[in-house]
């Protein structure tokens, strides 16, 4: 489901109106909020140590390892592998 479809169905707003309202309420854009949740979920999976980085990226919606790596760098200043190593110590 696209942002336009979601906002029309759930909030009866255009995607632009929804984005403005969301940012006003949360202080972040919908895209940043989704990325944050994905990074949190991926971080938990990496800490468990049972999944490969590739499978974590796929399962959490990043699509590929490189997109997840860039999101981790933005959020933690570290790549996923470093987050995993730190958690396993």
């Amino acid at each position: 489901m696209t942002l336009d479809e979601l906002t029309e169905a759930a909030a009866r707003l255009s995607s632009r109106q929804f984005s403005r309202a969301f940012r006003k309420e949360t202080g972040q854009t919908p895209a940043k909020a989704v990325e944050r949740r994905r990074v949190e979920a991926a971080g938990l999976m990496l800490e468990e140590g049972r999944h490969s980085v590739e499978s974590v990226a796929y399962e959490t919606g990043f699509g590929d390892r490189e997109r997840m790596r860039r999101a981790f760098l933005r959020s933690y200043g570290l790549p996923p592998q470093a987050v995993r190593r730190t958690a396993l110590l």
Side-chain angles (χ1 to χ4, degrees):
M1 181 173 267
T2 67
L3 179 60
D4 288 333
E5 293 167 342
L6 177 65
T7 57
E8 177 60 33
R12 301 278 187 232
L13 300 171
S14 72
S15 61
R16 189 170 177 181
Q17 290 170 315
F18 175 78
S19 292
R20 284 187 195 142
F22 189 93
R23 186 174 192 133
K24 184 177 178 183
E25 278 297 312
T26 67
Q28 60 187 341
T29 65
K32 286 292 178 188
V34 169
E35 180 178 278
R36 183 175 176 208
R37 295 293 182 218
R38 285 180 176 160
V39 167
E40 289 171 1
L44 292 173
M45 289 178 75
L46 289 168
E47 288 173 7
E48 289 175 356
R50 295 184 296 160
H51 308 281
S52 70
V53 174
E54 290 81 8
S55 68
V56 171
Y58 177 76
E59 292 294 325
T60 55
F62 285 106
D64 64 50
R65 181 182 185 139
E66 181 58 26
R67 288 180 68 193
M68 185 172 78
R69 187 185 75 76
R70 288 192 306 264
F72 267 71
L73 289 171
R74 281 191 294 274
S75 295
Y76 297 130
L78 298 168
Q81 297 85 348
V83 172
R84 171 175 269 168
R85 281 191 301 272
T86 303
L88 296 177
L89 294 178

